[in-house]
Amino acid sequence: MRFIHIADVHLGAQPDAGPLFSRDRAQEIWDTFESVIRVCETEQTDLLLIAGDLFHRQPLVRELKEVDYFFSELTHTKVVLIAGNHDPITKDSYYKTFQWSKNVYTLFGESPEYADFPELDTAVYGFSYHKKEIREPLYDNLRGGGVRSFEILLAHGGDDSHIPVDKRALSASGFDYIAMGHIHKPQALEKNHIVYAGAPEPVDKNDTGEHGYVKGEITESGVRIKWIPCAKRRYIHLRLPVETGDTTGSLRDEISRLTEEYGSGNIYKIILMGDRSADILFDTKRLISAGNITEIVDETFSAYDIPRLYEENRNNILGRYIEHFSGCEEGGVEYEALCEGVEALLSSRG
């Protein structure tokens, strides 16, 4: 039995709203989702498993129709989905009344239920969120029902506010495969058995690394899976060392070079680190314009001539402050505190 496992698609999200590079991001999420559907059709995959958060928020009817159109075009694949914490089954949710195509099986109940596929000798279990937070460990005592030879669990959660997960309890549940959602980075709690597919597209600046989906196969000899990258872009955090001779212009040139090297289509958070000249303040607005940059974090310190400052100020508060840090080594935490304090005291002089 061959399957594809996706989660946390977040259709309807608009990442990085504002900058020019963000205008295509919402459409890219839809395009990547459609590309996974095409893989299902091309490879005649048996099951498409969607482990929650198909939408970023409550879907509109027109959005459900768009998604169902993609599903309806599948000539072989059956689709099974649950709702997650971003798109829960609330009182007014259109999920409750929407009529899906005949190859779509929804596990939208608040209690465990299953979809039965006798032709695949497979049953898929799961339940959906009916509120944004569930703090109870609802998967701990869940067990397969022995309905079919192959049994799969769709699960969404893994932190304190969204169904805490106990790896040992999941391992003892008896399911052949547990398709996890909620954590956006792909990872396995147990090799080939309990797996977070991760989000197909990153939707937040902290969703660093590769993103994609899981392609798997269950046979009498066990489960085999392969993780497939599919995202159009990556979020990358770059730490940029700064020297005392650097200016906003020199850093802008270096950022442009680095973003070209790592991929001009990717999206960056730049962390400036090291010592800058005491008479330089970097213009972060100019630096952001050097590429697809969401944030510039300035962790630099002014490079002061501490001995000279002490000699010139030994009889005032600045001198006494420097004296308090006598003997600290450059690069350490105490030296950073010294530089921060010196900068604050000098700034207070106007």
Side-chain angles (χ1 to χ4, degrees):
M1 193 281 293
R2 294 176 301 143
F3 65 87
I4 282 179
H5 160 206
I6 62 174
D8 303 288
V9 181
H10 288 281
L11 297 172
Q14 295 183 312
D16 317 306
L20 284 177
F21 69 80
S22 70
R23 61 188 175 186
D24 297 325
R25 293 291 292 125
Q27 185 59 47
E28 286 173 356
I29 292 172
W30 279 91
D31 291 345
T32 296
F33 172 66
E34 186 178 358
S35 72
V36 176
I37 301 297
R38 287 199 298 270
V39 172
C40 290
E41 179 62 16
T42 300
E43 299 186 0
Q44 294 290 282
T45 304
D46 295 312
L47 293 178
L48 172 61
L49 308 170
I50 305 177
D53 285 355
L54 176 58
F55 289 92
H56 190 61
R57 35 89 185 126
Q58 285 299 315
L60 303 174
V61 172
R62 61 178 174 80
E63 292 172 322
L64 291 170
K65 287 183 176 180
E66 288 291 339
V67 166
D68 190 57
Y69 168 74
F70 295 140
F71 293 159
S72 70
E73 290 293 290
L74 294 168
T75 58
H76 178 78
T77 307
K78 309 291 196 303
V79 181
V80 190
L81 70 149
I82 61 173
N85 60 293
H86 274 266
D87 56 354
I89 312 295
T90 57
K91 178 182 177 182
D92 300 321
S93 174
Y94 291 118
Y95 270 147
K96 298 178 75 172
T97 55
F98 187 76
Q99 298 298 308
W100 295 91
S101 295
K102 62 182 181 179
N103 64 324
V104 180
Y105 299 78
T106 59
L107 303 177
F108 284 167
E110 203 166 357
S111 300
E113 53 188 333
Y114 68 91
D116 186 19
F117 303 99
E119 71 280 13
L120 301 173
D121 199 11
T122 300
V124 181
Y125 294 73
F127 59 87
S128 288
Y129 280 63
H130 283 236
K131 54 187 177 180
K132 289 185 175 295
E133 292 189 357
I134 302 176
R135 296 179 178 273
E136 298 77 26
L138 300 180
Y139 297 120
D140 282 6
N141 298 314
L142 197 59
R143 297 290 182 270
V147 175
R148 296 294 171 187
S149 298
F150 304 137
E151 298 199 316
I152 295 171
L153 173 64
L154 290 185
H156 191 91
D159 62 39
D160 289 343
S161 299
H162 306 95
I163 312 186
V165 166
D166 183 328
K167 174 185 170 181
R168 288 174 298 180
L170 281 179
S171 297
S173 62
F175 292 101
D176 297 280
Y177 182 76
I178 300 177
M180 301 290 296
H182 184 61
I183 306 300
H184 287 193
K185 293 184 179 181
Q187 56 191 279
L189 301 185
E190 188 174 292
K191 185 180 179 182
N192 291 350
H193 181 51
I194 308 171
V195 180
Y196 284 99
E201 282 282 341
V203 296
D204 180 85
K205 64 185 178 183
N206 293 315
D207 284 352
T208 55
E210 295 278 6
H211 286 76
Y213 61 92
V214 172
K215 185 184 294 185
E217 182 179 51
I218 300 179
T219 67
E220 295 294 343
S221 57
V223 182
R224 292 186 300 173
I225 64 169
K226 182 179 182 181
W227 187 78
I228 310 295
C230 67
K232 298 181 182 299
R233 305 182 194 237
R234 292 173 58 197
Y235 285 97
I236 299 176
H237 294 181
L238 289 179
R239 303 186 72 84
L240 178 58
V242 171
E243 299 178 351
T244 54
D246 277 319
T247 64
T248 297
S250 68
L251 289 184
R252 193 174 186 277
D253 288 344
E254 179 63 7
I255 289 171
S256 295
R257 185 191 69 78
L258 285 172
T259 55
E260 188 67 30
E261 176 184 337
Y262 283 88
S264 58
N266 293 322
I267 304 169
Y268 296 88
K269 174 182 176 180
I270 308 294
I271 302 103
L272 306 178
M273 50 187 293
D275 293 336
R276 68 177 186 276
S277 174
D279 22 351
I280 285 287
L281 286 176
F282 299 125
D283 185 344
T284 55
K285 288 184 179 179
R286 281 184 62 199
L287 294 177
I288 280 179
S289 66
N292 297 340
I293 299 172
T294 59
E295 186 180 5
I296 300 285
V297 178
D298 189 350
E299 295 182 353
T300 61
F301 295 95
S302 293
Y304 292 106
D305 186 341
I306 298 297
R308 180 183 64 79
L309 282 173
Y310 176 66
E311 288 300 322
E312 294 174 353
N313 296 275
R314 63 167 62 230
N315 295 320
N316 60 35
I317 189 173
L318 176 57
R320 289 194 295 273
Y321 180 80
I322 294 172
E323 189 174 354
H324 179 75
F325 288 89
S326 176
C328 71
E329 296 183 2
E330 287 192 29
V333 175
E334 286 189 335
Y335 185 77
E336 291 183 4
L338 168 62
C339 292
E340 285 185 359
V342 167
E343 188 163 358
L345 288 168
L346 290 174
S347 298
S348 70
R349 292 179 175 184

